[in-house]
Amino acid sequence: MDVLHAFICMSVFWTVSWGRTRADSIIHIGAIFDESARKDDEVFRMAVADLNLNEDILQTEKITFSVTFVDGNNPFQAVQEACDLMGQGILALVSSIGCASAGSLQSLADAMHIPHLFIQRSTARTPRSSCGLQRSNRIDDYTLSVRPQVYLNDVILRVVTEYAWQKFIVFYDNNYDIRGIQEFLDRVSQQGMDVALQKVENNINKMITGLFAAMRIEELNRYRDTLRRAILVMSPATAKAFITEVVETNLVAFDCHWIIINEEINDLDVQELVRRSIGRLTIIRQTFPVPQNSSQRCFRGNHRISSSLCDPKDPFSQNMEITNMYIYDTVLLLANAFHKKLEDRKWHSMASLTCIRKNSKPWQGGRSMLETVKKGGVSGLTGVFDFDDDGENPNIHFEILGTNYGEELGRGIRKLGSWNPVTGLNGSLTDRKLENNMRGVVLRVATVLEEPFVMVSENVLGKPKKYQGFSIDVLDALSSYLGFKYEIYVAPDHKYGSPQADGSWNGLIGELLLKRADMGISALTITPDRENVVDFTTRYMDYSVGVLLGKTEKNVDMFACLAPFDLSLWACIAGTVLLVGLLVYLLNWLNPPRLQMGSMTSTTLYNSMWFVYGSFVQQGGEVPYTTLSTRMMMGAWWLFALIVISSYTANLAAFLTISRIESSIQSLQDLSRQTDVPYGTVFDSAVYEHVRVKGMNPFERDSMYSQMWRMINRSNGSENNVQESLEGIRKVKHGNYAFVWDAAVLEYVAINDPDCSFYTVGNTIADRGYGIALQHASPYRDIFSQRILELQQNGDMDIFKHKWWPRNGQCDLHSSMDTKHKGSALDIKSFAGVFCILAAGIVLSCFIAMVETWWSKKKGSRVPSKEEGLPLRPMEHKEEMCELLA
């Protein structure tokens, strides 16, 4: 503090001294600084002091100056102070302010022909956004941009592309103008990347606390997943506080990867950021060349820089901002320009300008001084410093630093690459995988046997049991990728876990809470109660509630051929045949037809009935009826027969090939509405608790769960519930019972049942999922979740699912009818009725034949022979011949 006080006193002395000798000096410059950046003024004065001591540059001349401070967000004040400085007769104006006042000073400098060297300053070391100064090719553009353009959009896009990120979140602090990376956001959106934005408030602790209070457990876990990949666009101080808060609240783990980008990050900031963070950290900052020879660090050509500015061990140098460095180089560049003007003897003396009057004239030597400054160049604290034709400083280099993955604090950092506008990225930033992070780790895994998630594949006496199943396949994939080994055992009580009256947990969850297991895996669903006591990975399979029911036996009706018509309709058709036959006989009796010569058909009642029946079954026959009334009657009958036979044929095919014996239970709603089939679940399980909570919620709109809860909770749950899932499956197979359980488990049971006696119904909406349970605050949760997402993305998880739930199984999961027949072929049972009718007809005809034979013999014994009787009359002889011919 004493040194600083002495330095400030000396600066005041210099200002007063130069104020007294200003009339004797021909070199006078003005400076406008933001009132919050007093260090800019210190470095400016130190630069002037260094140059006034260097006789090689200015020889006997000395630089005098005038400094004023303004509010960076007040353009009017900045213009007013600049006018005052121009009234004192300045050769150039140096400003270190924000974008709000830069445009106004640009317009003033253009009007008064005063070279204006603008050094963009951001608030509280927040990353810069482009000021958007209007550049033109006109000769009256007198503003030169000392700091290079803002290249954050290009650098971030290149780094994110190199890391192959597809989903990440961008955090920015309260002082940053998010429009500064709008170009980056537009370009990644066009490339299909999923980007989220979140503003970090000044009170970070309050912000994080609000997140925990506002988000549910599932939302918080999804938020943790989002934080795995993040970009921080904020000041170093805000970044340190934010990283500290999220690490302490376990929002991130060592598999996260964050990128911090800011031109203003110094070496002390880098060390502190690495010390506070976990996971992988990438830091992007602006860098400047440093002479390799330590003895030459403070020399730039024939100029010596003050050791407090160039010595990296000096506290003042360590805390310098980039703006301070550009201010020093700006003064050095102006001094060299003045030196050149003095050597060329083309000096234009200063003139006191008045910018308020309308008829005020600009400085006549402004253009010459501007061209000298633009054509000059120096090597200073920022390296090579010069301007292009547009008045921009093109010299900028970014350094990309990074750490490896890890959860220990205080890790080392190394240089990964560099970036500049000319050559782009130099170096490789390929994101290193995590496969070696868990080498040598042995995890204790608790499980519960549940087909097809976990099953015993081999049980040899004296050897550890071997397990297989869908969850085991997922566990093996994680083990082979990450390099860990595991020891698996079944939870002693064979339960997944539920809270007890004393606050403890049983089952698999209890094993984790008692630290006997590092992780638990099976058909374990993620529930809010469980997430309050243990950590879960992201879901590796969706979960829904299903119902297992027994298929009804196919009832075969041997008279299915009669099924198309109702019994009453068959009776009406039979009566119609008799009635029409009788009417045909009566019409012919009332108006006897004229039989054609040689016709052998008589119009008896028997023949009329037989003719009507033959035409009904479409067998044709001779038409002996020639009267008009009889033909009209037969025409109407034929039309009737055509419609009846066509309808029967169409319905017969449908009835013989499509079963109409379907169960009334086809959904959870159907199950809840009926009471004929009792149903239940595993007592004290997640499904039991899910139905209980939904059923007892008075605000639940759907009454389905309340109806299900009444059935499940009969006799306090002891009547319809079972102790384990296998018991429920057995009850379905051997009795009138429906088992409510995990849909995935029930589908596997139905697919692999040898008798194909089960079918399943359920809810198609997955509101939860299966996950791997870990101890609270486990370091493995995020790395497991990341690998699970990779398995889902590359299709490995689908391969595991098809292995245990094949698409083309031997049993139909959704048909409630017990049948193994495929296609629409008819069996002998379905067609047995037709054969029965034929057999009945054959038996009946044989019986009638026997009766007729008996009757003919009996009648023949009573009639005298031809030799003994009278000769036949001609008419009788004709009828006898007709009967014989018939």
Side-chain angles (χ1 to χ4, degrees):
M1 292 298 294
D2 294 337
V3 175
L4 180 60
H5 178 72
F7 178 77
I8 295 176
C9 292
M10 187 178 296
S11 300
V12 174
F13 172 75
W14 286 341
T15 304
V16 174
S17 300
W18 288 332
R20 289 196 302 265
T21 62
R22 183 177 303 169
D24 299 332
S25 176
I26 63 172
I27 303 175
H28 186 67
I29 58 179
I32 298 178
F33 300 133
D34 192 292
E35 60 186 4
S36 63
R38 295 290 174 173
K39 199 166 187 177
D40 288 349
D41 177 52
E42 295 179 29
V43 175
F44 179 80
R45 295 176 184 274
M46 294 176 69
V48 173
D50 287 348
L51 289 166
N52 284 337
L53 295 175
N54 190 345
E55 296 181 357
D56 293 337
I57 298 179
L58 297 177
Q59 300 175 2
T60 60
E61 295 295 332
K62 303 294 181 183
I63 299 177
T64 60
F65 60 89
S66 298
V67 177
T68 183
F69 296 94
V70 298
D71 181 1
N73 296 319
N74 190 342
F76 178 77
Q77 181 188 7
V79 171
Q80 188 177 23
E81 294 294 341
C83 286
D84 293 342
L85 293 176
M86 292 178 185
Q88 300 176 20
I90 58 176
L91 298 176
L93 176 64
V94 179
S95 67
S96 174
I97 54 177
C99 294
S101 302
S104 300
L105 291 182
Q106 179 189 20
S107 301
L108 178 62
D110 292 346
M112 304 308 296
H113 291 188
I114 298 295
H116 172 213
L117 285 85
F118 167 59
I119 306 166
Q120 182 183 355
R121 163 168 284 280
S122 59
T123 305
R125 301 176 67 193
T126 300
R128 291 187 301 152
S129 296
S130 179
C131 281
L133 296 179
Q134 298 297 324
R135 293 290 181 183
S136 65
N137 294 323
R138 297 177 302 170
I139 60 174
D140 57 350
D141 190 357
Y142 282 81
T143 296
L144 304 176
S145 295
V146 175
R147 294 192 68 172
Q149 296 181 19
V150 180
Y151 287 98
L152 297 188
N153 289 284
D154 303 276
V155 181
I156 299 176
L157 181 62
R158 186 67 183 89
V159 172
V160 169
T161 303
E162 187 74 10
Y163 283 138
W165 285 9
Q166 293 298 320
K167 181 179 180 180
F168 53 90
I169 185 171
V170 177
F171 291 100
Y172 62 98
D173 63 17
N174 197 37
N175 295 319
Y176 181 69
D177 185 359
I178 192 60
R179 293 175 296 180
I181 59 171
Q182 186 61 50
E183 179 184 352
F184 164 74
L185 297 176
D186 293 340
R187 291 167 70 178
V188 297
S189 177
Q190 293 173 0
Q191 296 181 17
M193 299 182 189
D194 187 0
V195 185
L197 291 174
Q198 184 169 351
K199 184 177 181 180
V200 178
E201 304 295 340
N202 293 331
N203 191 338
I204 299 175
N205 181 270
K206 182 179 179 181
M207 168 188 164
I208 299 298
T209 304
L211 289 176
F212 279 95
M215 291 184 177
R216 296 179 299 177
I217 298 297
E218 294 182 359
E219 294 174 339
L220 202 59
N221 285 334
R222 286 194 292 268
Y223 185 70
R224 284 193 180 104
D225 294 337
T226 305
L227 293 182
R228 287 193 180 91
R229 299 290 180 264
I231 298 176
L232 274 58
V233 187
M234 56 185 65
S235 67
T238 306
K240 296 172 192 175
F242 183 68
I243 290 175
T244 301
E245 195 68 33
V246 296
V247 169
E248 291 180 352
T249 54
N250 291 326
L251 281 177
V252 293
F254 72 94
D255 69 326
C256 70
H257 185 180
W258 283 15
I259 298 175
I260 304 176
I261 183 165
N262 192 334
E263 298 168 325
E264 297 281 352
I265 298 177
N266 57 36
D267 292 340
L268 295 178
D269 295 328
V270 171
Q271 296 175 9
E272 190 67 18
L273 288 169
V274 173
R275 187 185 67 82
R276 298 187 183 203
S277 66
I278 61 174
R280 186 176 184 184
L281 186 66
T282 299
I283 298 175
I284 305 173
R285 64 173 183 172
Q286 188 175 352
T287 185
F288 306 100
V290 178
Q292 297 296 328
N293 190 351
S294 58
S295 61
Q296 298 296 322
R297 287 179 179 174
C298 294
F299 289 92
R300 301 294 188 272
N302 60 352
H303 176 67
R304 188 182 188 281
I305 303 174
S306 174
S307 61
S308 59
L309 300 177
C310 60
D311 187 0
K313 297 181 180 180
D314 191 285
F316 188 87
S317 174
Q318 292 176 349
N319 291 289
M320 281 183 61
E321 301 178 10
I322 291 181
T323 308
N324 307 149
M325 302 171 69
Y326 277 113
I327 287 176
Y328 190 98
D329 288 355
T330 300
V331 178
L332 180 60
L333 179 68
L334 287 174
N336 280 271
F338 297 152
H339 172 73
K340 187 174 183 180
K341 295 289 289 183
L342 289 172
E343 283 188 338
D344 295 343
R345 300 183 182 278
K346 296 180 179 180
W347 189 264
H348 293 273
S349 60
M350 296 179 295
S352 178
L353 302 177
T354 304
C355 58
I356 299 178
R357 298 178 182 177
K358 293 183 180 180
N359 57 354
S360 58
K361 296 182 180 180
W363 181 33
Q364 297 298 322
R367 170 55 53 183
S368 176
M369 182 63 71
L370 177 67
E371 292 298 328
T372 304
V373 174
K374 286 180 65 175
K375 293 179 180 179
V378 296
S379 178
L381 293 176
T382 62
V384 177
F385 176 34
D386 55 12
F387 295 101
D388 57 19
D389 295 337
D390 296 328
E392 301 282 350
N393 179 5
N395 305 291
I396 187 170
H397 297 271
F398 286 92
E399 183 181 40
I400 304 174
L401 307 174
T403 66
N404 293 327
Y405 286 104
E407 59 180 327
E408 70 278 1
L409 301 177
R411 291 158 292 132
I413 192 167
R414 61 187 178 89
K415 183 176 180 179
L416 303 177
S418 61
W419 186 95
N420 64 75
V422 179
T423 62
L425 177 66
N426 298 310
S428 178
L429 307 180
T430 304
D431 202 349
R432 187 175 65 85
K433 300 297 182 182
L434 304 176
E435 60 262 25
N436 297 323
N437 268 5
M438 297 182 66
R439 298 287 181 185
V441 176
V442 180
L443 300 178
R444 288 275 292 167
V445 181
T447 189
V448 174
L449 297 180
E450 187 76 79
E451 296 181 347
F453 290 87
V454 179
M455 300 176 288
V456 177
S457 62
E458 184 177 329
N459 188 6
V460 180
L461 185 62
K463 294 183 179 181
K465 294 181 180 179
K466 293 184 178 181
Y467 297 88
Q468 64 177 1
F470 176 70
S471 296
I472 300 299
D473 289 344
V474 175
L475 181 61
D476 288 339
L478 295 175
S479 174
S480 61
Y481 186 83
L482 299 175
F484 68 89
K485 297 181 180 180
Y486 64 88
E487 298 174 354
I488 190 168
Y489 70 97
V490 178
D493 57 0
H494 302 277
K495 294 183 178 296
Y496 289 103
S498 58
Q500 305 301 298
D502 58 354
S504 62
W505 283 71
N506 62 357
L508 189 150
I509 301 297
E511 295 295 301
L512 293 172
L513 294 178
L514 295 174
K515 309 298 182 183
R516 289 198 288 255
D518 299 304
M519 61 184 295
I521 189 170
S522 184
L524 184 65
T525 55
I526 304 172
T527 64
D529 290 339
R530 290 171 178 170
E531 280 196 311
N532 287 334
V533 294
V534 297
D535 285 347
F536 276 95
T537 64
T538 187
R539 64 176 66 180
Y540 60 86
M541 184 178 179
D542 290 333
Y543 164 86
S544 61
V545 176
V547 183
L548 184 71
L549 300 109
K551 292 184 178 181
T552 57
E553 294 184 359
K554 182 178 180 182
N555 297 323
V556 179
D557 186 5
M558 60 186 303
F559 292 100
C561 57
L562 302 178
F565 290 163
D566 187 64
L567 181 61
S568 60
L569 181 57
W570 281 117
C572 291
I573 292 174
T576 306
V577 171
L578 297 175
L579 178 62
V580 172
L582 179 62
L583 290 176
V584 169
Y585 171 75
L586 291 176
L587 289 176
N588 282 279
W589 181 76
L590 294 174
N591 189 9
R594 295 179 180 178
L595 297 177
Q596 298 178 357
M597 184 65 63
S599 177
M600 306 300 294
T601 305
S602 63
T603 56
T604 63
L605 178 61
Y606 171 77
N607 288 336
S608 299
M609 291 292 182
W610 184 254
F611 176 75
V612 170
Y613 174 75
S615 62
F616 178 76
V617 295
Q618 300 181 349
Q619 295 304 313
E622 183 180 358
V623 184
Y625 310 108
T626 58
T627 62
L628 179 61
S629 60
T630 306
R631 290 180 181 272
M632 291 295 294
M633 171 66 70
M634 293 309 300
W637 170 250
W638 288 338
L639 180 62
F640 170 79
L642 176 65
I643 296 174
V644 171
I645 295 300
S646 300
S647 301
Y648 174 80
T649 304
N651 283 342
L652 179 63
F655 272 81
L656 291 180
T657 56
I658 300 176
S659 174
R660 296 182 180 271
I661 308 174
E662 294 291 342
S663 172
S664 60
I665 302 176
Q666 295 296 324
S667 64
L668 288 177
Q669 287 80 3
D670 294 339
L671 181 71
S672 64
R673 295 190 188 108
Q674 59 84 43
T675 56
D676 296 333
V677 180
Y679 53 90
T681 185
V682 176
F683 184 76
D684 209 18
S685 63
V687 177
Y688 180 88
E689 190 67 18
H690 176 72
V691 176
R692 185 189 68 82
V693 173
K694 289 274 191 179
M696 299 182 66
N697 184 6
F699 301 102
E700 182 71 31
R701 295 183 178 180
D702 193 353
S703 61
M704 176 186 72
Y705 285 103
S706 61
Q707 294 170 350
M708 290 180 64
W709 175 242
R710 284 194 292 269
M711 173 66 75
I712 291 176
N713 196 41
R714 282 184 179 179
S715 303
N716 293 326
S718 61
E719 181 177 343
N720 294 324
N721 295 309
V722 294
Q723 294 300 318
E724 57 181 13
S725 59
L726 292 178
E727 181 183 351
I729 295 170
R730 285 193 296 267
K731 287 187 67 174
V732 175
K733 194 172 186 67
H734 300 295
N736 184 34
Y737 183 75
F739 182 48
V740 183
W741 196 235
D742 298 2
V745 176
L746 299 181
E747 287 179 2
Y748 175 81
V749 171
I751 291 174
N752 294 277
D753 182 58
D755 300 327
C756 292
S757 59
F758 299 122
Y759 79 99
T760 62
V761 297
N763 186 6
T764 58
I765 301 176
D767 55 349
R768 284 182 289 171
Y770 299 101
I772 300 176
L774 301 158
Q775 294 181 10
H776 182 66
S778 172
Y780 310 119
R781 180 185 65 87
D782 295 312
I783 192 173
F784 283 175
S785 296
Q786 179 185 358
R787 179 55 185 158
I788 288 172
L789 293 176
E790 293 176 0
L791 290 173
Q792 293 172 342
Q793 185 175 3
N794 59 29
D796 289 343
M797 201 68 73
D798 292 331
I799 295 176
F800 297 155
K801 290 179 182 178
H802 294 160
K803 174 183 176 182
W804 298 103
W805 291 274
R807 295 179 178 177
N808 300 322
Q810 62 176 352
C811 301
D812 188 354
L813 294 178
H814 308 293
S815 175
S816 60
M817 184 173 56
D818 186 9
T819 177
K820 296 182 181 179
H821 298 290
K822 297 182 180 180
S824 57
L826 299 176
D827 55 8
I828 187 64
K829 294 181 180 179
S830 300
F831 222 65
V834 179
F835 291 96
C836 290
I837 294 176
L838 177 61
I842 293 173
V843 172
L844 183 60
S845 63
C846 293
F847 175 75
I848 294 176
M850 293 171 62
V851 173
E852 286 181 342
T853 302
W854 173 79
W855 179 256
S856 297
K857 290 182 177 180
K858 184 177 180 181
K859 182 180 179 182
S861 61
R862 296 181 180 181
V863 178
S865 62
K866 296 179 181 179
E867 290 83 0
E868 297 177 358
L870 296 175
L872 297 174
R873 291 178 296 176
M875 190 62 185
E876 293 176 354
H877 177 75
K878 184 178 181 180
E879 290 179 358
E880 184 179 359
M881 292 298 294
C882 289
E883 290 179 1
L884 291 174
L885 291 174

